[in-house]
Amino acid sequence: MTGSATGRVLRDRTAGLFLAAVVVSGFGSSAMSLAAGIWVKSLTGSDSLAALALFAVWLPVLFGPALGAVADRLPRKPLLVRSNVVMALLLTTLTAVDSAGRIWILFAVLLLYGTGYVVMDAAESAVVAQAVDARLLGDFNGLRMMANEGMKLVAPLTGAALYARFGGGAVALLDAASFALAAVLYGLLRVREPAAAADPGDGRLSGMRQVWGSPVLRPLVLAGSVTMLCAGLNGATLYAVVDGVLGRSPAYAGVLLAVQGLGSVTIGLLAGPLLRRLPERVFTAAGIALFAVAVGLRALPCDAVALPACGLIGAGLPCVLIAAMTAVQRETPDAVLGRTAATASTLMMAPNAVALALGAGLVTLVDVRVLLPLVGAAALPTAAWLVAGRPGKAPAGPRVSASET
């Protein structure tokens, strides 16, 4: 069943092109995400400015409800193509960043970079919901997660090596090339844009109303918000665990992150079949429970526990994101799908960014061997609530694919 469903997704021309674009652009973006911080640090010597490089990319997520409305008001395929072209052109300007006095160019581009990602993610979710059979949405979103996480295993090392040999400009050009190629792939899509529908109201609010008013979406998105808050706190403890718990050098963090990535790749492959066999709430709750237990286990000073725990975190954490986005694509009317997807993403991912900053302060005040079990314990009630709660309505039926083969 797994191979059959995965094969059906990969054989679908639209889904295949989407996944290829995710792999290509994800490789360049993952390489750039690491290089940007190194670039800022090397030019300014400032750890805080290097941290702000990542924050600049995250900041536009907070404006997801408004940015997602763009994907509902413009033809989505042209929007994807043009956005990738603009991103490619913007990245070429980073070749001018060769001193601390020009670091503002990098921050400006990173801010626009994050803005473009929010808009493109909303447009992608809407096109996928129209083009992919509803019965295969879980498989597609799982494979998309697998592709994203797979790139994170190899691209940052490539970016670091390229930066060390040729400088930040070379990494920016690599990322620009990846966006240019993604634009070509999106241009090859054959999808029918749905007839324009009347705008249901304020673009910032209609997505929120759709999420909050749905008995299916609301619990999944709320569970995602709580889980990603805990994930941010967990992420902020990484180096404290490496040094204070395991007694390893900072470079060992790369090993832990690689193992976590392998866990995410695995669940990405299995998500579709599991979502067909389990209710969404049960699938999500199981993932959260796995994540919560694994976070607590990271407090133990043993590599033989720490490595499997990271793999379990990587497997459990994406479950809530895959289930929530699949439900958004299935349950939401097309006219508000872009802004609803962006709103759901904001509600789930913004707590992660806040918790990363909060966790950075907490690790200086609370022993990580105490903090991690508390974070894991805080996530467990969410899993129990999902299982105990009244399930929402069942899907209305499979959506007819709109791809033209």
Side-chain angles (χ1 to χ4, degrees), residues 368-391:
V368 71
R369 289 166 293 187
V370 175
L371 181 60
L372 284 170
L374 290 176
V375 171
L380 278 175
T382 303
W385 170 70
L386 277 175
V387 174
R390 182 173 62 87

Side-chain angles (χ1 to χ4, degrees), residues 95-369:
T95 56
V97 180
D98 55 5
S99 65
R102 293 185 173 181
I103 204 69
W104 66 269
I105 300 175
L106 177 57
F107 279 101
V109 169
L110 290 176
L111 189 62
L112 293 171
Y113 194 95
T115 301
Y117 255 111
V118 174
V119 173
M120 287 191 292
D121 275 349
E124 286 175 0
S125 293
V127 173
V128 166
Q130 285 293 322
V132 177
D133 190 318
R135 293 166 297 186
L136 297 177
L137 284 174
D139 296 274
F140 177 87
N141 288 322
L143 289 173
R144 183 180 180 185
M145 177 70 68
M146 184 179 71
N148 273 325
E149 295 302 321
M151 289 303 98
K152 291 177 184 178
L153 295 177
V154 294
L157 295 176
T158 303
L162 197 61
Y163 181 90
R165 180 67 179 85
F166 299 106
V171 185
L173 291 177
L174 171 67
D175 200 8
S178 75
F179 278 111
L181 182 52
V184 173
L185 292 170
Y186 284 126
L188 294 174
L189 290 174
R190 293 200 295 261
V191 294
R192 291 191 295 269
E193 294 283 351
D199 194 304
D202 191 313
R204 295 168 298 174
L205 299 179
S206 54
M208 184 68 73
R209 284 195 295 265
Q210 184 68 29
V211 170
W212 196 254
S214 169
V216 175
L217 302 184
R218 184 173 63 249
L220 292 175
V221 172
L222 285 176
S225 298
V226 174
T227 305
M228 294 309 294
L229 179 71
C230 294
L233 294 173
N234 172 66
T237 68
L238 175 62
Y239 290 102
V241 168
V242 169
D243 180 28
V245 177
L246 300 177
R248 296 277 191 164
S249 70
Y252 193 67
V255 177
L256 298 182
L257 290 175
V259 173
Q260 183 171 325
L262 288 173
S264 297
V265 168
T266 302
I267 198 62
L269 185 62
L270 298 175
L274 288 173
L275 278 169
R276 280 190 293 276
R277 289 169 170 78
L278 299 173
E280 280 173 340
R281 287 190 179 212
V282 174
F283 172 78
T284 303
I288 295 172
L290 195 65
F291 162 79
V293 172
V295 167
L297 290 175
R298 292 183 72 216
L300 299 177
C302 175
D303 285 7
V305 174
L307 290 172
C310 286
L312 293 176
I313 288 171
L317 188 57
C319 292
V320 64
L321 302 177
I322 294 171
M325 194 50 62
T326 300
V328 166
Q329 291 166 339
R330 190 191 65 228
E331 297 286 330
T332 308
D334 182 78
V336 293
L337 182 48
R339 69 198 76 180
T340 302
T343 298
S345 180
T346 294
L347 291 173
M348 290 190 291
M349 301 310 295
N352 183 264
V354 173
L356 281 169
L358 178 62
L362 281 176
V363 294
T364 65
L365 302 174
V366 182
D367 189 318
V368 71
R369 289 166 293 187

Side-chain angles (χ1 to χ4, degrees), residues 21-116:
V22 167
V23 169
V24 167
S25 62
F27 183 87
S29 298
S30 295
M32 188 66 195
S33 65
L34 177 64
I38 299 173
W39 201 348
V40 173
K41 171 70 175 177
S42 65
L43 290 178
T44 67
S46 170
D47 290 328
S48 60
L49 285 177
L52 280 177
L54 180 60
F55 180 73
V57 178
W58 273 91
L59 182 61
V61 172
L62 300 177
F63 303 94
L67 293 172
V70 175
D72 291 330
R73 293 184 174 129
L74 297 175
R76 287 155 180 163
K77 174 185 167 180
L79 177 62
L80 286 171
V81 173
R82 292 166 186 167
S83 296
N84 277 275
V85 170
V86 169
M87 298 276 268
L89 293 175
L90 276 173
L91 284 161
T92 62
T93 66
L94 294 183
T95 56
V97 180
D98 55 5
S99 65
R102 293 185 173 181
I103 204 69
W104 66 269
I105 300 175
L106 177 57
F107 279 101
V109 169
L110 290 176
L111 189 62
L112 293 171
Y113 194 95
T115 301

